Structures are given as structure tokens and as C-alpha cells.
Amino acid sequence: STLASKEATIGCQAADTLTTVYGVTHGAVEANPLMAGIINSLGVAGFVAFKIGITYLLVSNREKIPEAVMAGINVGTCGVAAHNLTVIR
């Protein structure tokens, strides 16, 4: 399905990464404790590297992940990016 596609995974992960980076570099606070910990300990560059790694793992293992699970991950990640946009407006 389109929601479980490689393109959706890359697009949603990129949208979340970009909106998070913009937000935290403009005064927003990361709400996800795991991501906040990564940002606090590794900085924005470390966060971006982590997200690139996650994206690579998801895309390269897509055939092993059930389609409904992948679609859920992508919808959730795009939902987070959409929420980020409301925070940084």
C-alpha cells in the first residue's frame, strides 16, 4: 500500500526530522523523552544521524515488517511531523 511504501517512510521520517530540528533550534522542546535524550546528549547533528539510521533500517527491512505495521509507523511519524508544524507556527 502507499502508506507502507518506501517513499512514505522516507518522506515521513524526513518531515519529522526537519520539523523537529527547526523546532528545537527555534526554542521548542522535544516532547518524546527518547528523542529529547538523543538531542541533549548528541546534539542536533546526532539526532539527524539517528533518524537517518532509523530510516535506513526501516527501508532496508521493509519486506520483513508487516505492511500494516509499516503503514502505522509512517502514519504515526507523519502525524508527529504535522503536530510539530502546529508547535513551530
Side-chain angles (χ1 to χ4, degrees), residues 1-19 48 51-62 70-71 73-75 77-78 81:
S1 86
T2 301
L3 291 175
S5 70
K6 173 176 70 172
E7 294 81 6
T9 300
I10 294 168
C12 292
Q13 291 293 329
D16 178 35
T17 302
L18 293 171
T19 56
V48 171
K51 290 291 282 184
I52 289 169
I54 292 295
T55 303
Y56 173 78
L57 288 173
L58 288 170
V59 169
S60 64
N61 290 290
R62 204 165 57 87
M70 185 61 80
I73 290 168
N74 292 341
V75 168
T77 304
C78 272

Side-chain angles (χ1 to χ4, degrees), residues 28-77:
V29 176
E30 173 59 52
N32 178 330
L34 174 64
M35 295 300 128
I38 290 169
I39 292 168
N40 291 335
S41 63
L42 302 176
V44 171
F47 169 75
V48 171
F50 178 82
K51 290 291 282 184
I52 289 169
I54 292 295
T55 303
Y56 173 78
L57 288 173
L58 288 170
V59 169
S60 64
N61 290 290
R62 204 165 57 87
E63 294 78 25
K64 300 173 189 170
I65 302 170
E67 187 173 319
V69 172
M70 185 61 80
I73 290 168
N74 292 341
V75 168
T77 304

